[in-house]
Amino acid sequence: MTTEPPTTKTHPTDITGTARAARTAGTAGTAGTGERPAGRDPFFDNAKYLAILLVGLGHSWGPLLDGSRSAAALYMFVYTFHMPAFILIAGYFSRHWTGRPEQLKRLITGIGVPYLVFEVLYIAFHRQVAGGDQPFSLLDPYYVTWFLIALFIWRLTTPLWRVVRWPVAVAFLIAAAASVQPHLGDDFNIVRVFQFLPFFVLGLQLRPEHFALLRRPGVRTAAGITVLAGLAVAYWAAPRYTNRWFYRTYSAQELGYEWWAGLVMVTALTVCGLLLTAAFLAFTPTRRMWFTALGAGTVYGYLLHGFLAKFSRWRDWYEAEWVQGPAGLPAVTLIAAVVMTLLCTSPVRRVFRALVEPAMDWAFKREGPGGQLVPR
């Protein structure tokens, strides 16, 4: 859920990309401010908003899985591609990341510091609302914060993928190895970081013309067939397979399977994730929509909705009779969609900007004459 924001006195940032990278690529990135810089392509803002919407919907369906095969199938279907889509876009807008001082500064303030802030906030929230002695640990990402540390790690490795001859293949081999290695540990949710790595590396290789291919009529027809097939497979698989595979957090052995099952599943999930991500992007509107501006605020929706998702479970909101009835799934879906939309709006961004996009010029040297870094 920040590559290269335009140079302004504010601190625009976003979890997937920025306007400067967009201008370089001839497409649009994202910014965390309410303003929409000239030249932004609505396609990526639309894609980010729709992807973050699916993240919220997936979390809202979690408590309904046991009582509804339809909910379990939708959950499995969405979890196959919603984060891969987000990660691929993040990779695409990281293509120009070289580790320059201003890029490192934005990496720290746009991803590193928010990770530290929200890791502490989530654990404090857990202790206050749910009780218990949840330990403070910056090495063990809490709930949604895993994506921030993952993106931090992925972006630091970006220069490496420029010199590797077969970057996507190498990334996939790393993901496959993580799926059969039960001793990697939990620090930084490293298994998930490795298993999602191929989507980020693939995004680094993409160019605007690749996205243009998705808009061809024939591709959209194939995308429709892919979506229908994906829903059918998910409905069949829902009662047969654990959805823990889709979290990419565990090795096969930790899930109670033989090691080779990890290789099969990581391959299947990667291929299915790519196909459904392509289908998702093929159907993403390319023109400005009523929700296009919200694509600039996806980091807010991502980081803030977790508090509501956790609170709803700890306060047993899902035990209400109407939630358990036939109208429960549609109603919960609608509520989650509204909440995620509101969390991406400009008023919410203004309130929480100091936490999500801290202005920290005081902490860094400034660039002086000749590009030398000097104290402020």
Side-chain angles (χ1 to χ4, degrees), residues 114 118 122 144-145 148 298-307 356:
F118 278 87
Y122 267 109
V144 298
T145 60
L148 292 178
T298 52
V299 63
Y300 291 83
Y302 182 80
L303 290 174
L304 296 174
H305 88 279
F307 293 102
V356 180

Side-chain angles (χ1 to χ4, degrees), residues 31-302:
T33 59
E35 298 79 19
R36 296 188 55 76
R40 291 179 69 107
D41 184 341
F43 171 73
F44 287 104
D45 281 333
N46 292 340
K48 291 197 301 293
Y49 166 75
L50 294 173
I52 204 64
L53 194 64
L54 291 176
V55 170
L57 295 184
H59 287 160
S60 74
W61 294 334
L64 301 174
L65 302 185
D66 292 337
S68 171
R69 183 173 179 177
S70 296
L74 285 172
Y75 184 88
M76 192 174 284
F77 174 76
V78 165
Y79 265 72
T80 304
F81 73 92
H82 69 345
M83 288 312 298
F86 229 112
I87 294 165
L88 184 141
I89 293 173
Y92 177 72
F93 283 106
S94 298
R95 293 172 303 137
H96 305 288
W97 204 91
T98 59
R100 297 193 305 273
E102 70 274 15
Q103 292 176 326
L104 287 170
K105 172 185 171 183
R106 287 190 288 268
L107 181 67
I108 292 170
T109 59
I111 300 178
V113 172
Y115 170 73
L116 299 177
V117 169
F118 278 87
E119 183 74 0
V120 172
L121 288 177
Y122 267 109
I123 295 173
F125 182 70
H126 182 115
R127 288 185 168 193
Q128 181 66 32
V129 180
D133 190 24
Q134 178 74 17
F136 281 97
S137 174
L138 299 179
L139 298 180
D140 185 15
Y142 187 99
Y143 200 31
V144 298
T145 60
W146 75 267
F147 185 70
L148 292 178
I149 196 63
L151 185 55
F152 192 94
I153 294 171
W154 292 330
R155 193 156 288 160
L156 283 177
T157 68
T158 296
L160 170 66
W161 303 113
R162 289 197 179 90
V163 299
V164 173
R165 177 168 291 183
W166 302 290
V168 177
V170 172
F172 177 76
L173 290 176
I174 293 173
S179 74
V180 299
Q181 177 50 259
H183 306 298
L184 286 177
D186 297 326
D187 289 353
F188 298 130
N189 212 334
I190 197 65
V191 174
R192 182 179 276 175
V193 172
F194 285 155
Q195 290 204 31
F196 277 119
L197 177 63
F199 299 101
F200 181 82
V201 175
L202 177 61
L204 292 173
Q205 316 307 314
L206 296 179
R207 298 294 180 266
E209 54 267 26
H210 295 127
F211 293 96
L213 291 174
L214 297 175
R215 300 164 193 170
R216 295 182 176 180
V219 173
R220 286 181 169 170
T221 299
I225 296 172
T226 300
V227 169
L228 293 176
L231 287 169
V233 171
Y235 191 80
W236 171 84
R240 294 174 171 84
Y241 293 93
T242 173
N243 53 35
R244 297 173 76 193
W245 283 112
F246 295 83
Y247 303 151
R248 312 293 190 97
T249 306
Y250 310 98
S251 66
Q253 295 92 323
E254 289 172 304
L255 292 176
Y257 293 87
E258 295 293 333
W259 66 269
W260 55 264
L263 300 180
V264 172
M265 289 303 296
V266 76
T267 302
L269 289 175
T270 300
V271 171
C272 292
L274 288 174
L275 289 175
L276 289 173
T277 294
F280 167 77
L281 294 173
F283 286 117
T284 297
T286 58
R287 66 184 185 281
R288 189 178 301 277
M289 309 291 288
W290 65 266
F291 54 79
T292 301
L294 301 177
T298 52
V299 63
Y300 291 83
Y302 182 80

Side-chain angles (χ1 to χ4, degrees), residues 339-361:
V339 169
M340 289 301 294
T341 299
L342 292 176
L343 291 178
C344 294
T345 59
S346 293
V348 172
R349 282 180 267 165
R350 284 195 293 270
V351 171
F352 292 99
R353 181 163 292 149
L355 297 177
V356 180
E357 304 177 84
M360 297 182 61
D361 287 344

Side-chain angles (χ1 to χ4, degrees), residues 2 4-14 18 30-33 106 357:
T2 10
E4 307 173 44
T7 305
T8 65
K9 293 183 180 180
T10 61
H11 185 71
T13 185
D14 179 53
T18 62
T30 62
T33 59
R106 287 190 288 268
E357 304 177 84

